[in-house]
Amino acid sequence: MAIGVFDSGVGGLSVHHRLVERFPKADFVYLADQANTPYGGRRGEEIVALTRAGCERLFAEGCDLVVLACNTASGIALRRLQQTWLPDYRRELGRPVNVLGIIVPTIEAATGLPWEHEAERRGDKVEKLDILGVFSTPATAASRVYEIEIDKRRQDVAVFSQPCPDLAGLIEEGSPRAALAEAVAGHVRALTTRIGRPPDRAILGCTHYEIVADLFRDALPPGTPLIHQPQATADALARYFERHPEFRQGEGGTRRFLTTGKAGVQSGLVEAFWGGPLSFTPA
Ligand code: DGL
């Protein structure tokens, strides 16, 4: 049995990388929906349908657990799939399967609080001391998931989301670094102008952006802490397996990489991030 990792494209590799380090003996199947990438400009219903199809594909590959290594899918589709599709689908399959997202672990890392924690609202005046910038796809930004969920837990944190419409697509295409650096700097400038000063901390709220995390570091004031989704997700998954031993990880240490798009070797940008050539096979 295996752990499935799903993204619209290569962004989820940043999460996969960390999961493999954390669970070296587990079997992994990575699925990139490159035929339909990017998700960030799509309508909600499309994102739900594509995410569901990706999960079905990974369950058919023998995965027990699918990690949505994609903020757009996690923020827009996950709750709906858990409520309206998974219960019947589990019965149909006759085995325990589940889908987990990456927004919950990221919010836990950003707030320093467990997901179950909700702040008491006392009606006192609140000083928003900590300005948290979230760079994400337009769909994630429009969902306001980070603003809503962080505000429920920490009223001293003010969240400002910056939609970056072009960025996941540029990364997916393996665009030259100069073009990527210009795009990243433009989004950091836009957020800084909107807030009136740079954020105190930032979330790279699209897994593709981890691939160019150094460009965000260069564009933000030196030393701005970044909350890393891959690490937060690996930590959360380890805790999940402790609570749910019924989900099997496999023990062959195999890694398979599938794509709905053009099979073969990925771009130089991905290769540099990955530390070597990476070839996808047809899904
Ligand atoms: N990597 C994804 C995310 O975390 C999706 C990017 C896209 O397809 O637009 O949001």
Side-chain angles (χ1 to χ4, degrees):
M1 290 291 135
I3 302 173
V5 181
F6 177 73
D7 184 34
S8 64
V10 294
L13 290 171
S14 57
V15 176
H16 178 275
H17 204 271
R18 226 359 103 81
L19 295 183
V20 166
E21 270 174 16
R22 178 60 75 94
F23 307 99
K25 290 199 199 118
D27 295 307
F28 282 92
V29 186
Y30 184 93
L31 174 60
D33 189 13
Q34 289 176 309
N36 297 299
T37 197
Y39 280 12
R42 290 184 179 275
R43 287 179 299 116
E45 286 310 307
E46 283 180 298
I47 296 168
V48 173
L50 292 170
T51 305
R52 175 178 157 169
C55 292
E56 281 177 332
R57 185 75 190 83
L58 284 164
F59 290 136
E61 288 295 325
C63 298
D64 278 2
L65 206 58
V66 171
V67 177
L68 299 179
C70 174
N71 289 264
T72 312
S74 302
I76 282 100
L78 180 57
R79 187 168 300 181
R80 175 93 79 78
L81 295 179
Q82 281 170 336
Q83 289 173 345
T84 64
W85 169 66
L86 264 175
D88 286 344
Y89 192 68
R90 268 187 206 115
R91 269 191 291 278
E92 228 174 85
L93 283 181
R95 62 185 169 99
V97 293
N98 205 5
V99 183
L100 305 175
I102 60 170
I103 288 183
V104 170
T106 309
I107 286 172
E108 289 184 327
T111 59
L113 294 167
W115 181 250
E116 300 70 37
H117 181 96
E118 283 216 9
E120 253 181 67
R121 289 181 183 269
R122 296 208 208 89
D124 300 345
K125 179 170 178 278
V126 177
E127 296 290 347
K128 298 270 184 188
L129 297 175
D130 186 10
I131 308 279
L132 179 62
V134 181
F135 297 94
S136 74
T137 66
T140 301
S143 76
R144 296 182 53 78
V145 63
Y146 283 105
E147 282 87 335
I148 293 167
E149 297 298 342
I150 290 176
D151 189 62
K152 274 188 206 162
R153 293 165 177 83
R154 288 275 306 267
Q155 271 118 58
D156 57 340
V157 179
V159 179
F160 288 83
S161 285
Q162 178 62 35
C164 310
D166 48 350
L167 194 53
L170 289 174
I171 294 167
E172 196 61 44
E173 288 161 16
S175 300
R177 268 183 75 79
L180 293 165
E182 199 185 312
V184 167
H187 295 307
V188 170
R189 251 193 327 271
L191 181 68
T192 304
T193 306
R194 204 147 53 75
I195 303 174
R197 69 170 175 89
D200 298 315
R201 300 186 289 154
I203 295 177
L204 302 187
C206 167
T207 51
H208 280 71
Y209 304 169
E210 275 292 327
I211 293 177
V212 293
D214 60 322
L215 299 179
F216 276 96
R217 257 185 234 108
D218 291 348
L220 286 161
T224 306
L226 295 183
I227 292 152
H228 286 287
Q229 298 197 303
Q231 186 60 48
T233 309
D235 293 345
L237 190 59
R239 294 194 296 272
Y240 187 85
F241 278 129
E242 273 167 29
R243 293 197 306 276
H244 294 280
E246 70 274 23
F247 290 105
R248 293 158 304 165
Q249 310 169 18
E251 47 195 33
T254 59
R255 287 94 181 78
R256 298 174 55 212
F257 298 90
L258 308 178
T259 180
T260 58
K262 197 167 151 276
V265 178
Q266 296 298 306
S267 70
L269 181 70
V270 172
E271 209 172 282
F273 170 78
W274 193 251
L278 180 63
S279 190
F280 284 10
T281 53

